Amino acid sequence: MSTAAKTRSRAVKAPKVTDQPLFIDGKFVDSASDRTFPATNPATGEAICQVAEADATDVNLAVQAARQALEKGPWKTMDAADRGRLLYKLADLVEKNAEELAVLEALNSGKIITDARGDLQGVVNTFRYYAGWADKIEGRTVPVRGNFLSYTLRQPVGVVGQIIPWNFPLLMLAWKWGPALACGNTVVMKLAEQTPITGMRLAELALEAGFPAGVINVLNGYGETTGAAIVAHPGVDKIAFTGHYETAKVIQKAAADTLKRVTFELGGKSPNVVFADADLDQAVQGAFHAIYFHGGQCCTAGSRLFVEEPARKEFVQRLAEKTKERRLGDPLDESTQQGPQVSQEQMDKILGYVQMGQKQGARLVAGGKRHGDKGYFVEPTIFDGVKDDMAIARDEIFGPVVSVLPFKSVDDVIERANNTHYGLAAAVWTKDIDKAHCFAREVRAGTVWVNCYHVVDTTTPFGGFKMSGQGRENGEAALDHYTEVKTVTVKLS
Ligand code: NAI
Ligand code: MG
């Protein structure tokens, strides 16, 4: 591991960040309780600013504002094309302020600045994509029996509670605001407690773009309090959540009391399968990116690396060589390749899994330790000789830790790839189109990559089979989850 990044000077200056309010009914306000909590820089462990903490009272105000905007305000009667124009305007404002937003995102999430810039492009793309949809969400005329005219209307679900995580703060916000607003819903969003800053800046840009008061409300606070209050509120029609499946279970049970709609995106333990006939240069590079992108804090991380036996030894050796070159350091330094994990809690969880892996008999080939003694850095880590039933092969570690699992045949690897309660993503590396397409058909996952990894575009549906989720985000598919279908039947004379 190179520590050279420590001696380099920053290319990007850290901004001064003021304390963060809540955004309710088009205004920035303190929380009703006046309570605050700190936002932290994970590269140093130091506080960046204080953040207003919402409780049930603030949630109630936000839901009331969102309901008012849904039922009474200009949003209700606005032409669909004008909703699209507002989204285009927001995209333009994000684009104009992209560098400032990327720096803030890197500062608070630990994401390296070059990745943060990529995320910002994704945000702009997402808003533009859904802006285009706003006036293309159509019903149908239906040929019913008898002398009737039946047609369907697609109307907003209503007030949508959106609860997002810390790994892609702005991108997750865009994936949720885009389709919700294009379909005419109003939003009460809770940002992750680890990353409470950039979403507030987006609220400011939404105000500047001209979204009417109450259409978008943004809160900060903890899951068990603020998040739970959104889920429990009878004035919220739907919850869209991204995070851990254990949290989703709690949310689904709580949502049952009011029979809210729920959509979930819940991470994975994605199989990345390398056949011996693959282009090994590309596959090594791909496997590296699959697990270490954003320090493994990625729902689609390629954390189960199946390598066909004849190629395994060389493959692992080459992967280990590359990890030694990886530069860990300041996320605001443009030469840094891996930043810190988001929090002490996440770092401790990851290091706990490394210990468990060693105890259960896997062979540590690279990494395995905390990097430095400041901030929450973890070395890129490789385990070889991993057995399918070890904890490091079953649980989502959400860090830079890959488990290498040898395999011998297509059937064997498909069965083992599917032997998990997760089903978010999978990838296959081979030059044999038959193997590639068989694998793509048989693997139980919402996204399959062939000879590539982490290629996610706002235009294609994204979500999980099994316990990796319910519903789909992105693409046209997301619109189904933000509209109710109404049938209107007219008796003709
Ligand atoms: P989490 O699922 O607890 O938190 C995600 C969001 O849900 C946050 O905004 C949080 O405040 C909120 N939340 C938590 N409990 C809630 C509740 N009872 N009601 C309503 N909202 C609630 O995830 P956490 O604790 O940040 O990370 C733990 C693990 O979850 C990670 O190690 C990783 O394995 C997984 N995760 C997966 C993500 C993904 O992209 N699918 C993103 C973040 C975490
Ligand atoms: Mg949690």
Side-chain angles (χ1 to χ4, degrees):
M1 204 96 26
S2 162
T3 50
K6 276 187 181 161
T7 58
R8 282 197 186 85
S9 65
R10 270 184 180 171
V12 175
K13 225 172 135 209
K16 238 191 125 42
V17 183
T18 54
D19 291 349
Q20 299 292 304
L22 307 174
F23 183 66
I24 300 174
D25 203 13
K27 294 180 211 69
F28 288 97
V29 294
D30 289 329
S31 62
S33 69
D34 273 329
R35 267 217 306 274
T36 62
F37 66 96
T40 306
N41 174 353
T44 62
E46 288 157 11
I48 299 171
C49 65
Q50 288 292 314
V51 177
E53 181 185 340
D55 64 15
T57 307
D58 309 287
V59 167
N60 191 41
L61 290 172
V63 174
Q64 280 177 11
R67 187 136 294 279
Q68 181 78 12
L70 181 83
E71 292 174 0
K72 305 249 158 59
W75 186 246
K76 183 181 163 67
T77 50
M78 187 181 285
D79 288 345
D82 289 334
R83 287 202 308 267
R85 277 183 49 204
L86 288 178
L87 275 167
Y88 277 125
K89 185 105 185 273
L90 180 58
D92 290 347
L93 287 171
V94 171
E95 194 167 54
K96 203 171 121 194
N97 294 281
E99 183 62 14
E100 175 214 328
L101 285 162
V103 171
L104 275 180
E105 193 84 318
L107 181 74
N108 185 202
S109 72
K111 187 181 289 286
I112 57 173
I113 183 68
T114 41
D115 284 350
R117 288 178 184 138
D119 283 13
L120 261 299
Q121 188 56 56
V123 171
V124 172
N125 294 346
T126 303
F127 287 148
R128 290 203 175 126
Y129 174 77
Y130 284 106
W133 265 116
D135 60 355
K136 297 169 196 70
I137 300 163
E138 299 168 346
R140 293 181 170 183
T141 55
V142 189
V144 288
R145 290 183 180 81
N147 195 19
F148 300 98
L149 166 67
S150 282
Y151 63 93
T152 58
L153 295 172
R154 293 180 71 189
Q155 298 185 325
V157 174
V159 175
V160 182
Q162 302 185 318
I163 300 174
I164 59 170
W166 41 263
N167 51 344
F168 294 85
L170 283 175
L171 197 59
M172 293 299 100
L173 175 150
W175 285 16
K176 290 191 167 45
W177 285 12
L181 298 171
C183 295
N185 298 275
T186 59
V187 166
V188 176
M189 170 169 276
K190 189 191 87 63
L191 310 174
E193 55 269 38
Q194 297 85 352
T195 50
I197 298 173
T198 48
M200 269 315 148
R201 181 75 181 104
L202 258 271
E204 207 171 23
L205 295 180
L207 198 61
E208 191 181 336
F211 281 92
V215 171
I216 296 169
N217 303 274
V218 185
L219 304 177
N220 273 309
Y222 295 95
E224 294 73 10
T225 49
T226 322
I230 295 172
V231 175
H233 201 295
V236 174
D237 299 288
K238 169 197 160 84
I239 297 292
F241 166 78
T242 299
H244 199 274
Y245 71 85
E246 289 294 351
T247 314
K249 287 189 201 171
V250 173
I251 290 176
Q252 190 159 37
K253 282 177 191 151
D257 285 336
T258 46
L259 288 178
K260 285 183 178 54
R261 284 103 185 88
V262 290
T263 46
F264 294 143
E265 197 278 272
L266 306 175
K269 189 74 187 175
S270 298
N272 187 19
V273 174
V274 180
F275 284 95
D277 67 5
D279 177 326
L280 283 195
D281 284 342
Q282 275 184 28
V284 169
Q285 177 58 38
F288 190 82
H289 178 58
I291 186 63
Y292 299 130
F293 172 55
H294 193 21
Q297 303 173 118
C298 203
C299 49
T300 50
S303 52
R304 282 189 298 152
L305 178 56
F306 290 94
V307 186
E308 200 173 14
E309 195 50 283
R312 185 183 53 87
K313 203 167 158 209
E314 187 195 337
F315 196 92
V316 171
Q317 206 172 358
R318 284 165 69 176
L319 198 65
E321 288 301 313
K322 274 179 76 67
T323 66
K324 294 195 185 101
E325 303 296 311
R326 193 150 172 89
R327 273 196 304 278
L328 274 68
D330 182 355
L332 292 180
D333 183 327
E334 282 172 326
S335 66
T336 297
Q337 294 169 325
Q338 185 176 310
Q341 311 307 127
V342 77
S343 64
Q344 172 95 37
E345 187 187 350
Q346 286 299 120
M347 180 179 75
D348 292 346
K349 171 182 163 179
I350 296 160
L351 294 174
Y353 273 106
V354 172
Q355 270 185 3
M356 229 183 307
Q358 287 174 293
K359 221 158 90 193
Q360 295 186 344
R363 192 164 65 83
L364 185 65
V365 179
K369 295 192 300 297
R370 181 180 183 183
H371 171 82
D373 53 10
K374 206 169 112 191
Y376 314 125
F377 294 86
V378 177
E379 294 176 346
T381 300
I382 303 171
F383 277 109
D384 195 7
V386 179
K387 302 274 186 305
D388 292 10
D389 60 355
M390 290 179 181
I392 54 169
R394 301 209 66 81
D395 299 349
E396 182 179 57
I397 299 175
F398 229 60
V401 181
V402 69
S403 293
V404 179
L405 303 132
F407 75 92
K408 293 211 171 88
S409 73
V410 183
D411 290 343
D412 167 48
V413 79
I414 288 171
E415 194 184 317
R416 290 167 61 200
N418 283 334
N419 184 14
T420 166
H421 56 259
Y422 283 117
L424 189 65
V428 58
W429 300 81
T430 178
K431 286 185 187 144
D432 179 338
I433 57 164
D434 191 53
K435 267 187 224 159
H437 288 294
C438 280
F439 179 82
R441 188 184 57 197
E442 296 303 322
V443 70
R444 304 256 300 145
T447 293
V448 182
W449 290 298
V450 178
N451 294 332
C452 59
Y453 210 99
H454 285 317
V455 182
V456 173
D457 195 275
T458 183
T459 57
T460 48
F462 181 85
F465 283 38
K466 301 193 269 183
M467 286 175 77
S468 283
Q470 284 183 30
R472 292 292 178 271
E473 300 192 285
N474 285 342
E476 186 177 357
L479 303 175
D480 291 342
H481 301 292
Y482 283 99
T483 47
E484 295 281 3
V485 178
K486 180 183 282 179
T487 300
V488 181
T489 296
V490 185
K491 186 175 182 332
L492 301 175
S493 59

